[in-house]
Amino acid sequence: MWRLLLEAPFEQDIELAVIDDDGVHALIFPCQRLSDGWIDAISGEMLDIHPTHWRPWQNRRSDRSGLH
């Protein structure tokens, strides 16, 4: 179940949904919320994204539907 972005925990691996030119979709890698933005939890690279929702990260997710 997707959760409000304001409720996203800090410094924990989570899955983010974002809006881009292709619409709303989930990122395929875990992200972490920091006080100054979002990072790719694997590489540590800062991300220039505008997430809309989040949910706990699961290594294998078979259902990527339900982005509402």
Side-chain angles (χ1 to χ4, degrees):
M1 179 171 203
W2 291 97
R3 299 178 185 179
L4 296 175
L5 194 61
L6 293 174
E7 301 171 350
F10 287 88
E11 299 179 9
Q12 293 182 31
D13 289 0
I14 61 175
E15 182 177 17
L16 291 177
V18 298
I19 297 177
D20 62 17
D21 293 339
D22 296 323
V24 179
H25 63 91
L27 297 179
I28 61 171
F29 52 88
C31 300
Q32 288 190 4
R33 180 182 183 187
L34 302 179
S35 61
D36 59 345
W38 299 94
I39 63 167
D40 177 326
I42 296 171
S43 70
E45 181 179 338
M46 288 297 296
L47 301 171
D48 182 18
I49 57 172
H50 302 284
T52 59
H53 299 78
W54 74 278
R55 60 184 172 191
W57 176 257
Q58 296 180 14
N59 288 333
R60 292 184 154 263
R61 184 172 309 280
S62 59
D63 177 20
R64 294 201 175 267
S65 62
L67 292 176
H68 33 70

